[in-house]
Amino acid sequence: MPRKYSVVCGDALAAEIEELARDYGLSEQEVLRQLIDHGLEAVRERAETTGRLD
């Protein structure tokens, strides 16, 4: 079942998200979903390589 999360960010980050959405014809929610997916993937890859999450 899908879950809903809330993200609070500063003006500069919000502007970057809005710009990405505009540039790629996506909703801001889709931009955030993709950024989270890519971030989680990067963390997993780093953990596999180093054995650490940080």
Side-chain angles (χ1 to χ4, degrees):
M1 170 180 244
R3 291 189 184 200
K4 218 175 215 189
Y5 290 91
S6 176
V7 176
V8 178
C9 55
D11 292 339
L13 184 55
E16 288 186 63
I17 292 165
E18 291 168 359
E19 183 178 356
L20 284 169
R22 192 171 42 255
D23 289 350
Y24 291 95
L26 300 170
S27 67
E28 293 167 12
Q29 290 83 2
E30 180 60 17
V31 169
L32 290 168
R33 189 195 64 75
Q34 289 187 27
L35 288 170
I36 291 168
D37 282 347
H38 287 286
L40 288 173
E41 184 178 319
V43 168
R44 285 187 204 107
E45 288 175 4
R46 189 174 332 138
E48 288 175 6
T49 302
T50 66
R52 299 176 55 172
L53 290 177
D54 59 355

